[in-house]
Amino acid sequence: PVSRAKHGLRKFERAGNEAKAARDAAKKEGARLRDEIDRLLPEVEAAVGERVEDPQQRSEEEIKREIEKLQARQRKQEKKHGGKTLSSLEELARKTQEVSVRKREELDGIKLTTKGTQENFDERYKFWRKSCKAKGKQAALDFN
């Protein structure tokens, strides 16, 4: 009975060793394939282009047609806006906004100055009017 048990144990050990050897061989093969893919990937991307995942599952031709359509639409919009690209229009809008803000600040300063000046003119006008009345009365008294 002991020899049978040893024989069965050896059988399991042999099966375990074979499984370990198969696992090691699979790891080596996986590492070799990974290295092969890493080596070939730049060449493939250079020849074909970067890999793109399309959630809509469109074919390459459909995607190319859509790109052409979008590029044509973009060219049409650029013609409509004087041949300017979207980025140049954004830059122009940003600069115009800055100028607008600067001019608005200048306008606020001018309004404050105008208000102060108008108050001074009103005060001077009142004084001038009173002065004219007083001089007119004095002239009337002198004449009489």
Side-chain angles (χ1 to χ4, degrees):
V2 173
S3 65
R4 274 193 216 165
K6 282 185 180 179
H7 180 66
L9 186 60
R10 282 189 200 130
K11 217 181 198 183
F12 284 122
E13 283 180 359
R14 210 175 307 128
N17 289 337
E18 288 172 3
K20 285 180 186 177
R23 183 189 67 199
D24 292 342
K27 279 185 178 180
K28 285 181 185 176
E29 181 65 18
R32 187 189 66 76
L33 287 175
R34 241 181 274 119
D35 291 341
E36 183 78 13
I37 289 171
D38 290 342
R39 185 179 61 80
L40 292 176
L41 189 62
E43 295 174 22
V44 172
E45 283 183 350
V48 178
E50 197 172 321
R51 184 179 182 141
V52 177
E53 294 292 330
D54 186 25
Q56 298 170 353
Q57 303 296 320
R58 296 173 291 188
S59 70
E60 187 177 341
E61 292 302 317
E62 290 172 327
I63 292 173
K64 284 182 181 178
R65 278 195 303 269
E66 189 170 338
I67 288 172
E68 285 297 320
K69 189 192 302 182
L70 291 173
Q71 287 173 343
R73 193 166 120 201
Q74 183 179 9
R75 285 190 297 270
K76 184 178 177 184
Q77 290 296 323
E78 286 175 4
K79 276 185 182 178
K80 184 178 178 182
H81 295 287
K84 296 179 181 173
T85 62
L86 182 61
S87 58
S88 65
L89 288 173
E90 287 174 348
E91 182 69 20
L92 180 64
R94 186 186 59 76
K95 286 180 181 177
T96 306
Q97 184 68 25
E98 288 174 359
V99 169
S100 173
V101 168
R102 213 172 29 241
K103 295 294 181 182
R104 208 172 285 137
E105 289 171 355
E106 286 178 19
L107 183 62
D108 291 343
I110 290 170
K111 284 181 180 177
L112 286 174
T113 304
T114 304
K115 183 179 176 185
T117 306
Q118 189 64 42
E119 289 172 357
N120 288 337
F121 283 147
D122 290 344
E123 187 177 324
R124 287 180 183 175
Y125 177 70
K126 277 175 147 178
F127 176 77
W128 178 76
R129 207 172 55 203
K130 284 180 185 177
S131 173
C132 285
K133 280 185 180 179
K135 287 179 183 176
K137 284 182 184 178
Q138 185 63 42
L141 290 175
D142 290 345
F143 186 70
N144 289 335

